[in-house]
Structure formats: structure tokens, C-alpha cells
Amino acid sequence: MIQVNDFLYGKVDLPEVFEDLLNTEVLKRLAGVHQSGAIYLVNPDICHSRLEHAIGVMILIKKLGGSELEQIAGLLHDISHTAFSHVGDYVFDNTDEDYHEKVFAEILYNSEIPDVLLKHGYNASQIIYGEFNILEQPLPALCADRLDYTLRDSFYAGLISRQRILTFLNAVTLNDGKIAINAEEEVLWINDVFKRLNDEVFNLPLYLFANGKMAQLIKDFLAKGILIEKDLFKTDTLLLNKIRSNYLGYEAIKSIKQLKGFSEFIRHGAVPKVKTRTLNALLV
């Protein structure tokens, strides 16, 4: 058994399969991938990782009574995110922001995870082709992935408090195998938080600048052969180190941190087109 602690959902005891998965290189890499991309370069307070989110999703599924297989799927669902998360989408002009989904199977099969799953009586195809209604739902429905990043990202951005999150979580339940809310005021609250997160964080000009400039820099360095696509599947720090080993890269990262050219970029630069998102949580 392994005990995992999350500041939103508390401590949970998990069987050996989760300990083995958390010791794989692909999951350990997520500890070095920032959930909000390059935003931490201009706001160090927003520095939580993809691994923190993945663990949160897994625990949330467990708390709601999801199967062990769905908990595993929740833990693994973001292993294919590039360094700086959705910056990878902007590098490859992926307006649906689903680049990580397109390469998920390849990353999974080329990792240690299939062997770990076989050891514990599962196989990788169950993750690839399984239907996990708690984990994922199309917009504008609520699901564990969307709920966790809404709460977690909003907390780190200073939009909501931990105590308000804990109050809200008391209203979260399952209805026909899907996440629902049992109090109207909490439905209104989470829908509003989701809107504020999109308006005040994902589309904040300062943060669009950080992610947009980073994407532009990576795209330029790929074109010049200074970076290769494989570099995007390192941690943020390792990718940054390679970028900064080049003088132009060193100066470019410094200019992002110092907000050089911010106004000009927002007016005329390659500002990321953030996917439009709305939420309509289910009331039961």
C-alpha cells in the first residue's frame, strides 16, 4: 500500500499498482511539467504541476466510487502532455488543444506502464479504449478532469479559497455514473468559477504573453534545428536549460520574465487562441 495526500481531497491509501505507476519515468516527469505552462515565469505563485493534477483526478474518482481501472486512467490521462503543457498545442497550431490526446497511445505504449499494468492484471488497451464517464465528458458537462483543474487552477490563481472548495466538494455526487451537484447554489458557483478561470486566467493578457512567447520561441528553435520534437517531452527545466544554452534563447527567456515587448505582442504578436470553454454542471 501507498498513502497519497492531496490538499483538496485529503489522504488516501492506495494499492501497490499505484505505487508502481508513480515510480514510472513518464509519471515522474509530470512533476516537472507546470500545469499552467509558462505562466510561472511571470507569476511564480502559479507553479503547480501536471502530476499534482493527475493525482487529484485519481483521488477524486476514488472518492466518488469509481473503479480501480478508472482511477488508473485518471492518474495516467496527462502523461503525454509536452513540457509547458498546452504550450505544445500553440507550437503545433493545435486549436482544439488536444495534441496530448493525439500522441497519448504512442507515449503510453513506449513507456514502462504496459508492463506495470500487466503485473497487476490489467493491460494498456483497457486504458486506450476504455470508457470512463467519471474521468471524461465532453463540454459543457462536468467530469473529474475538468472539475479538478477548475478547482486547483482557480485556487493557485487566487480566485477561490481552499475552505470554499471543501464546502463545494460536499455537494459533489454521481448521477447515472456521471458527476453531478446536489445543491443549486453550488451549481451556480462552480459554473461561475469556471467562467472566471477562463476569463481571468486562461485569457489574461499577461499569461497569453508568457505562453505565446514561449510557443513562438520553441517553434523558431525547432525550425532552426536547435530543438527537436523529442525535447518537448522532457521536463520544463530540462527544456529551458537547452533553450538557454543558446544565447538567443537565454535572452528570449529573460525578456519573457521581464515582460519586454508585452504591449506590442498583445497587439500584433502570435497570441494563443485559447479554446472556448463553458461549463453547465448537472443539478440533481
Side-chain angles (χ1 to χ4, degrees), residues 71-91:
Q71 294 169 45
I72 292 171
L75 180 62
L76 299 179
H77 80 282
D78 272 350
I79 59 168
S80 51
H81 261 289
T82 64
F84 299 107
S85 294
H86 285 293
V87 167
D89 291 303
Y90 311 142
V91 169

Side-chain angles (χ1 to χ4, degrees), residues 67 69-70 73 125-137 177-178:
S67 69
L69 180 61
E70 187 156 13
S125 64
Q126 290 175 283
I127 303 298
I128 300 293
Y129 301 109
E131 184 175 326
F132 305 112
N133 289 325
I134 302 175
L135 170 61
E136 297 285 0
Q137 288 293 321
K178 300 174 184 177

Side-chain angles (χ1 to χ4, degrees), residues 32-262:
V33 175
H34 287 84
Q35 171 85 357
S36 298
I39 288 174
Y40 79 99
L41 295 175
V42 296
N43 184 351
D45 290 335
I46 302 182
C47 59
H48 55 303
S49 71
R50 279 278 154 192
L51 182 61
E52 182 180 328
H53 163 64
I55 290 172
V57 171
M58 171 194 67
I59 297 174
L60 181 55
I61 293 169
K62 180 178 179 65
K63 294 277 188 180
L64 290 169
S67 69
E68 184 173 274
L69 180 61
E70 187 156 13
Q71 294 169 45
I72 292 171
L75 180 62
L76 299 179
H77 80 282
D78 272 350
I79 59 168
S80 51
H81 261 289
T82 64
F84 299 107
S85 294
H86 285 293
V87 167
D89 291 303
Y90 311 142
V91 169
F92 297 116
D93 299 316
N94 191 311
T95 55
D96 288 332
E97 297 187 14
D98 61 355
Y99 176 78
H100 66 291
E101 296 174 18
K102 294 178 178 179
V103 299
F104 178 78
E106 179 184 359
I107 297 297
L108 178 66
Y109 282 124
N110 288 329
S111 73
E112 317 100 297
I113 287 171
D115 289 339
V116 172
L117 294 177
L118 283 173
K119 173 185 173 183
H120 294 281
Y122 297 106
N123 64 73
S125 64
Q126 290 175 283
I127 303 298
I128 300 293
Y129 301 109
E131 184 175 326
F132 305 112
N133 289 325
I134 302 175
L135 170 61
E136 297 285 0
Q137 288 293 321
L139 285 166
L142 200 55
C143 60
D145 178 23
R146 195 164 294 126
L147 178 53
D148 184 83
Y149 80 65
T150 299
L151 297 175
R152 198 172 299 276
D153 291 8
S154 297
F155 171 81
Y156 279 105
L159 299 182
I160 56 178
S161 68
R162 179 176 178 271
Q163 187 55 52
R164 185 62 184 89
I165 293 172
L166 297 180
T167 298
F168 166 78
L169 287 172
N170 289 327
V172 177
T173 186
L174 282 188
N175 180 61
D176 195 25
K178 300 174 184 177
I179 292 180
I181 311 300
N182 64 18
E184 184 175 6
E185 63 270 25
E186 300 300 336
V187 168
L188 296 174
W189 182 79
I190 193 63
N191 288 345
D192 179 65
V193 169
F194 189 81
K195 183 178 186 305
R196 290 181 62 204
L197 178 64
N198 281 271
D199 292 345
E200 300 175 29
V201 180
F202 295 163
N203 283 288
L204 186 72
L206 176 64
Y207 299 159
L208 291 173
F209 169 79
N211 281 334
K213 290 290 283 186
M214 179 61 74
Q216 187 180 63
L217 174 59
I218 292 171
K219 187 181 291 189
D220 289 347
F221 275 26
L222 286 170
K224 293 175 181 176
I226 298 171
L227 295 176
I228 58 175
E229 189 170 339
K230 188 177 179 180
D231 290 328
L232 271 69
F233 292 93
K234 299 177 177 180
T235 64
D236 293 358
T237 297
L238 288 176
L239 179 57
L240 267 181
N241 287 345
K242 186 165 184 180
I243 291 171
R244 288 189 292 206
S245 67
N246 178 286
Y247 176 76
L248 292 176
Y250 178 85
E251 290 298 316
I253 297 299
K254 186 167 71 172
S255 74
I256 292 173
K257 291 183 174 182
Q258 295 175 348
L259 304 182
K260 290 183 178 179
F262 170 72

